[in-house]
């Protein structure tokens, strides 16, 4: 397809597509002559991913470029590619390691991972933004006087593991390696808000079931 058709099918303006091409977010099309290039379904799929990251996820262009670099790096194994791509997305601020509540939260999260038998997650804890986010959250609860740690989190973690199994099963259903990694990135941007919305709906359902509407 030509640039105009790519624009029409993707919903991205030609000027924006040209910008993505200049920035290296989108691979060049197959050159037909000095002024015309041809694009294919992979360009269309990549454009939709870029659009989701920038417009829905509010991810800066420089970060999108970094994420896509990991997506396209076929020298890495699948787990590393997925991890590197998702870790490059915007994350919570680094916890203050001198804070006593952060230190206590580290101990609770470590206990949680031991209890669950999540050895790989523990091995990656020094690198993982998800681990740091969990520490920040647990520290915030403890700072406010709530005893929220391994015992309370374990049932939630077991539910999340079942969710992760579904995520990976759905990822593996895609035919190409690039599509699988792209799906994982989209999951971090699009699926997490859906899961949050389902969680809140479930809370509404359960609280009204128990206590009514009064």
């Amino acid at each position: 397809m030509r640039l105009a058709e790519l624009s029409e099918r993707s919903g991205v303006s030609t000027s924006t597509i040209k910008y993505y091409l200049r920035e290296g977010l989108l691979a060049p099309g197959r050159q037909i002559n000095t002024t015309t290039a041809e694009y294919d379904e992979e360009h269309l799929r990549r454009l939709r991913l870029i659009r989701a990251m920038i417009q829905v996820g509010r991810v800066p262009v420089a970060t999108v470029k970094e994420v896509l670099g990991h997506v396209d790096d076929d020298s890495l194994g699948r787990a590393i590619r997925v991890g590197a791509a998702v870790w490059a997305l915007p994350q919570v601020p680094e916890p203050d390691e001198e804070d006593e509540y952060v230190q206590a939260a580290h101990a609770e999260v470590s206990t949680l991972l031991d209890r669950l038998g999540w050895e790989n997650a523990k091995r990656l804890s020094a690198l993982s933004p998800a681990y740091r986010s969990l520490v920040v959250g647990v520290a915030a609860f403890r700072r406010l006087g709530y005893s929220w740690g391994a015992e309370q989190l374990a049932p939630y973690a077991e539910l999340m593991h079942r969710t992760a199994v579904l995520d990976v099963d759905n990822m593996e259903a895609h035919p190409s390696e690039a599509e699988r990694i792209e799906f994982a990135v989209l999951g971090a941007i699009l699926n997490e808000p859906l899961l949050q919305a389902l969680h809140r709906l479930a809370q509404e359902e359960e609280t009204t079931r128990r206590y009514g509407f009064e």
Side-chain angles (χ1 to χ4, degrees):
M1 73 187 89
R2 303 296 173 87
L3 183 61
E5 183 182 353
L6 180 63
S7 173
E8 182 179 356
R9 291 183 61 187
S10 66
V12 180
S13 68
T14 56
S15 60
T16 300
I17 293 174
K18 290 177 181 177
Y19 170 68
Y20 292 161
L21 288 165
R22 288 196 303 272
E23 291 296 313
L25 274 65
L26 191 66
R30 184 175 65 85
Q31 208 67 35
I32 298 174
N33 54 47
T34 55
T35 59
T36 307
E38 191 170 60
Y39 303 90
D40 57 23
E41 295 297 322
E42 289 189 13
H43 288 93
L44 181 61
R45 191 184 72 245
R46 177 54 59 88
L47 266 178
R48 289 170 174 162
L49 174 62
I50 295 168
R51 190 180 190 191
M53 293 176 71
I54 292 175
Q55 295 188 354
V56 180
R58 305 296 181 189
V59 180
V61 170
T63 303
V64 172
K65 189 172 184 177
E66 181 182 356
V67 171
L68 295 178
H70 296 306
V71 169
D72 294 332
D73 189 354
D74 55 11
S75 69
L76 302 174
R78 184 181 299 171
I80 300 299
R81 286 172 78 181
V82 170
V86 173
W87 290 355
L89 294 170
Q91 307 291 341
V92 299
E94 294 283 338
D96 179 4
E97 298 297 343
E98 301 300 318
D99 187 301
E100 62 178 300
Y101 295 104
V102 169
Q103 293 171 0
H106 273 293
E108 286 292 339
V109 173
S110 180
T111 299
L112 172 67
L113 297 182
D114 286 338
R115 177 172 176 169
L116 296 167
W118 290 6
E119 295 179 4
N120 294 324
K122 193 162 186 177
R123 286 173 57 198
L124 293 169
S125 62
L127 301 173
S128 172
Y131 176 90
R132 292 194 295 273
S133 295
L134 188 55
V135 166
V136 168
V138 171
F141 266 106
R142 298 180 73 87
R143 191 174 291 111
L144 293 169
Y146 292 95
S147 178
W148 197 252
E151 183 177 352
Q152 292 79 15
L153 287 170
Y156 290 93
E158 288 163 0
L159 289 173
M160 288 301 99
H161 184 258
R162 288 165 57 188
T163 302
V165 170
L166 291 173
D167 287 341
V168 177
D169 286 346
N170 286 325
M171 180 185 73
E172 290 179 345
H174 291 271
S176 72
E177 193 65 17
E179 287 176 279
R180 296 182 191 114
I181 309 303
E182 288 175 5
F183 181 83
V185 173
L186 279 175
I189 295 170
L190 302 179
N191 206 34
E192 287 182 5
L194 290 178
L195 293 174
Q196 182 185 64
L198 286 170
H199 183 204
R200 291 179 180 177
L201 281 173
Q203 287 177 328
E204 292 170 10
E205 174 66 21
E206 185 59 23
T207 53
T208 53
R209 179 180 296 166
R210 292 193 191 193
Y211 312 122
F213 288 94
E214 297 182 1

